[in-house]
Amino acid sequence: SADVLGTGRSKTVGDQRWHEVVFKDARGWVNGKFLEAGEPTDLKDQTFQCAGTEPFWGVTLGPGGGDYTAPDVTIALTTERVQPSTARLFPLLYRLKDAKGQTYRASVSHQTWCSDGMSDYDFAFQVLLSNDDAFQEGCCVLRR
């Protein structure tokens, strides 16, 4: 059904791949053999929740803004533009700015399986995040 939406998080149990899904107000896991991919959708109006390690950090990317978190810091970000790749719906390039005027660029792309290196989960999305001081890579889910 078109009402069942994936988050992009999955896990292999034995020889089966299970996918996290959301249906109305319910969240759960479905064996991949019971899922069928729909048409590619435009995700630029969705919100991605991304994280990376060493050190632990996270970024929320949405059409109106988000935030960057690291140990002992949270920085609010304003989304200036979400730009899809030329003639495609994906990957997406986020142009962001913090309150001090520092610019950030984040690209979110679809991956076969992005691993965060610390959990048993795989992720369908990867983020590359940079500002004037850092360049970081992590994995993302769709916030549903």
Side-chain angles (χ1 to χ4, degrees), residues 8-125:
R9 186 183 341 248
S10 67
K11 182 175 182 174
T12 300
V13 179
D15 62 351
Q16 302 290 314
R17 180 157 300 268
W18 290 76
H19 300 267
E20 185 181 42
V21 296
V22 175
F23 178 72
K24 298 182 180 178
D25 293 332
R27 177 178 304 271
W29 293 84
V30 174
N31 189 310
K33 68 183 179 181
F34 297 108
L35 296 174
E36 181 178 290
E39 291 296 313
T41 56
D42 186 352
L43 297 175
K44 73 176 179 289
D45 292 328
Q46 300 293 315
T47 298
F48 289 90
Q49 186 68 51
C50 309
T53 59
E54 300 187 26
F56 289 102
W57 64 275
V59 66
T60 302
L61 301 167
D67 57 43
Y68 174 82
T69 57
D72 304 322
V73 66
T74 297
I75 300 168
L77 300 174
T78 301
T79 301
E80 297 188 319
R81 185 174 178 200
V82 181
Q83 177 183 354
S85 178
T86 304
R88 306 181 127 223
L89 296 175
F90 220 64
L92 297 172
L93 176 64
Y94 289 79
R95 298 173 189 270
L96 308 136
K97 193 171 277 189
D98 68 19
K100 296 178 182 175
Q102 162 104 289
T103 59
Y104 295 74
R105 299 288 181 265
S107 67
V108 176
S109 61
H110 180 268
Q111 297 295 313
T112 302
W113 308 119
C114 180
S115 172
D116 63 9
M118 61 183 178
S119 72
D120 292 335
Y121 298 114
D122 294 314
F123 302 87
F125 304 101

